[in-house]
Amino acid sequence: MSLINEQSLKVIGDDRGQLIALEGNKDIPFDIKRVYYIYGTQSGVARGFHAHRNLKQLLICVSGNCDILLDDGHSKETVNLKSPDQGLLIEGLVWREMHNFSEDCVLLVLASEYYDESDYIRCYDDYLKQTRK
Ligand code: TYD
């Protein structure tokens, strides 16, 4: 089974342009408790390098593009997020890295929980141990 759970977001378009509306527990399979976005990422910078114990997230590149690498401890897959109607759902114990941000990239993240540093696994060796329990 692929690690990449892509969601095709419903576009409400007319002759003025496009609009996407996302409602928690309707368009997205969780309550949205937190929203953050990453932008102005410097050239050559990669981010992430962690897993979450208990967090669901939907990632959307609302401008530009970037690569998201997902790793479940057995295999790795990379997806290029390049369109505002392309959502990437990440849940479960998955290591994630973000690479190759375009200069205009704005990566929007909808999250199921408030920020909680204790939910993070930031050491890859610890992550691998957790996946092999
Ligand atoms: P960091 O985890 O390094 O970001 P990334 O995973 O994208 O590389 O987060 C950078 C800083 O921002 C760190 O001090 C934690 C803080 N932060 C919050 O305060 N709230 C949040 O929702 C997030 C995602 C990060």
Side-chain angles (χ1 to χ4, degrees):
M1 207 181 90
S2 175
L3 292 171
I4 309 293
N5 187 350
E6 277 192 70
Q7 312 277 307
S8 195
L9 308 176
K10 185 178 161 217
V11 181
I12 306 167
D14 57 31
D15 53 12
R16 297 169 298 173
Q18 317 301 337
L19 183 155
I20 293 178
L22 301 171
E23 298 190 2
N25 283 318
K26 291 185 184 170
D27 309 285
I28 292 173
F30 54 82
D31 258 337
I32 301 163
K33 283 206 183 145
R34 177 165 55 107
V35 174
Y36 63 93
Y37 36 98
I38 293 169
Y39 64 100
T41 307
Q42 299 297 303
S43 168
V45 166
R47 304 192 60 130
F49 298 92
H50 61 255
H52 286 283
R53 300 174 209 279
N54 173 39
L55 183 71
K56 295 177 184 170
Q57 291 183 308
L58 187 82
L59 279 60
I60 306 161
C61 219
V62 292
S63 168
N65 71 90
C66 66
D67 288 335
I68 310 294
L69 179 145
L70 300 181
D71 173 352
D72 67 358
H74 302 282
S75 61
K76 299 178 190 203
E77 282 185 70
T78 299
V79 58
N80 180 239
L81 294 184
K82 56 181 180 304
S83 171
D85 66 2
Q86 179 188 16
L88 177 68
L89 183 65
I90 308 178
E91 50 190 341
L93 202 61
V94 177
W95 184 263
R96 76 282 311 265
E97 299 174 10
M98 295 167 260
H99 295 272
N100 302 321
F101 288 86
S102 63
E103 211 177 301
D104 58 347
C105 181
V106 181
L107 180 65
L108 175 70
V109 182
L110 310 181
S112 65
E113 305 297 335
Y114 298 122
Y115 176 74
D116 174 9
E117 187 56 39
S118 70
D119 187 59
Y120 281 75
I121 303 170
R122 292 192 184 270
C123 167
Y124 189 67
D125 286 343
D126 290 347
Y127 168 71
L128 287 180
K129 282 182 203 149
Q130 293 281 329
T131 62
R132 273 136 216 205
K133 265 186 184 170

